[in-house]
């Protein structure tokens, strides 16, 4: 596997991204990885490197306003998150000649993935599917618990721009009426020990998005879910039609 840093134009700023290139036997589709709230692209490294070793190239990137990452800027609306995901996909099209994409998102990054997949606004790219990890209906409920309040208090200053509680409330509103992506290939993954997004709310989100598949439940916490789900995601990827060497 080879790694290379990339700078992706995004309005008046740039998105910091990392390209994962398999050494041999590259498969299609290409994977776009979106990380969770207050995190950075490093949190998606385990899954991206694993799947690259299995033949699937991809890009991880730092969402705008997330201080752990290298993109910078300020996050004022979740609309910026989907737009950033789209900018990364467009870059993959221009830079690498990508024609087929699957979006892979963790938590907040799953929202960006689902929303961008619904737009289908990049000429020349086919969207083959979405993987949504540890994301479900009513996400604000998780932050109203004792553990959630403590987590939000500790992590809130990791975001530049709008207050973290305001972003979460906006996300909550989006989740009340997400796009119906049927008949797109969709995989929804729930973490058994997730104190923020329990399994039943992941299933609710899957149903709202038009998925007729059972949610895949893994033995994991919320934050560990990307790494703990990587083998299951690989099995799902190779089971899809049109997987090519």
């Amino acid at each position: 596997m080879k790694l290379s840093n990339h700078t992706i134009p995004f309005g008046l700023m740039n998105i910091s991204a990392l390209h994962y290139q398999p050494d041999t036997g590259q498969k299609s589709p290409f994977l776009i990885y979106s990380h969770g709230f207050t995190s950075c692209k490093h949190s998606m490294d385990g899954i991206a490197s694993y799947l690259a070793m299995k033949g699937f190239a991809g890009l991880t990137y730092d969402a705008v306003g997330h201080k752990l990452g290298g993109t910078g800027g300020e996050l004022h609306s979740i609309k910026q998150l989907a737009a950033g995901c789209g900018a990364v996909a467009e870059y993959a099209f221009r830079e690498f000649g990508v024609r087929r994409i699957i979006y892979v998102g963790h938590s907040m990054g799953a929202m960006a993935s689902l929303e961008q997949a619904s737009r289908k606004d990049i000429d020349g790219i086919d969207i083959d599917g979405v993987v949504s990890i540890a994301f479900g209906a009513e996400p604000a409920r998780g932050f109203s618990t004792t553990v959630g309040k403590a987590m939000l208090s500790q992590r809130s200053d990791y975001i530049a721009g709008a207050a973290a509680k305001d972003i979460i409330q906006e996300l909550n509103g989006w989740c009340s009426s997400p796009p119906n992506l049927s008949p797109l290939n969709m995989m929804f993954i729930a973490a058994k020990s997730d104190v923020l997004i329990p399994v039943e709310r992941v299933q609710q989100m899957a149903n709202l998005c038009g998925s007729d598949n059972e949610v895949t439940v893994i033995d994991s916490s919320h934050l560990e879910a990307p790494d703990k789900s990587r083998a299951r995601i690989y099995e799902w990827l190779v089971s899809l039609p049109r997987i090519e060497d």
Side-chain angles (χ1 to χ4, degrees):
M1 181 187 71
K2 297 180 177 64
L3 296 174
S4 56
N5 287 305
H6 291 259
T7 300
I8 299 173
F10 183 52
L12 299 177
M13 58 187 301
N14 294 311
I15 291 174
S16 176
L18 188 61
H19 180 225
Y20 293 74
Q21 176 66 38
D23 288 327
T24 58
Q26 181 171 324
K27 298 178 174 67
S28 185
F30 190 90
L31 308 179
I32 303 290
Y33 300 92
S34 300
H35 65 76
F37 191 53
T38 78
S39 191
C40 64
K41 64 178 178 290
H42 176 72
S43 67
M44 303 299 281
D45 173 72
I47 185 173
S49 60
Y50 174 87
L51 290 174
M53 295 291 287
K54 296 287 190 178
F56 290 94
L59 279 166
T60 61
Y61 68 98
D62 295 317
V64 62
H66 284 64
K67 295 179 182 179
L68 287 177
T71 293
E74 295 187 347
L75 176 63
H76 295 286
S77 170
I78 63 171
K79 294 178 182 178
Q80 293 169 267
L81 301 171
C85 183
V88 175
E90 283 194 82
Y91 182 82
F93 173 75
R94 295 193 311 269
E95 188 73 11
F96 308 122
V98 168
R99 296 295 182 270
R100 295 169 52 213
I101 280 177
I102 286 181
Y103 294 105
V104 182
H106 173 229
S107 193
M108 174 200 76
M111 181 284 300
S113 299
L114 291 163
E115 176 64 24
Q116 181 55 34
S118 74
R119 296 180 179 181
K120 301 179 181 178
D121 57 357
I122 305 174
D123 290 338
I125 287 183
D126 289 333
I127 300 168
D128 279 8
V130 182
V131 178
S132 174
I133 306 170
F135 180 64
E138 301 180 86
R141 283 178 60 184
F143 290 98
S144 66
T145 65
T146 300
V147 172
K149 287 177 180 177
M151 183 181 296
L152 187 60
S153 175
Q154 190 270 329
R155 300 290 296 181
S156 61
D157 199 46
Y158 282 69
I159 301 295
K165 61 180 179 60
D166 294 338
I167 295 295
I168 291 170
Q169 285 300 327
E170 187 184 3
L171 186 62
N172 216 55
W174 183 92
C175 288
S176 66
S177 184
N180 188 313
L181 297 175
S182 179
L184 199 66
N185 297 309
M186 289 178 274
M187 183 183 195
F188 287 82
I189 298 172
K192 189 184 299 183
S193 302
D194 193 338
V195 297
L196 294 178
I197 308 291
V199 174
E200 59 269 22
R201 279 193 264 135
V202 177
Q203 184 67 64
Q204 186 179 347
M205 177 58 64
N207 295 341
L208 287 169
C209 289
S211 174
D212 57 2
N213 297 320
E214 287 294 318
V215 164
T216 298
V217 180
I218 60 172
D219 188 8
S220 174
S221 66
H222 185 80
L223 295 179
E224 295 175 313
D227 278 353
K228 292 292 185 68
S229 62
R230 59 193 188 181
R232 302 289 287 275
I233 293 172
Y234 174 71
E235 292 171 359
W236 179 78
L237 286 170
V238 297
S239 74
L240 296 177
R242 298 179 64 205
I243 295 299
E244 302 166 0
D245 291 326

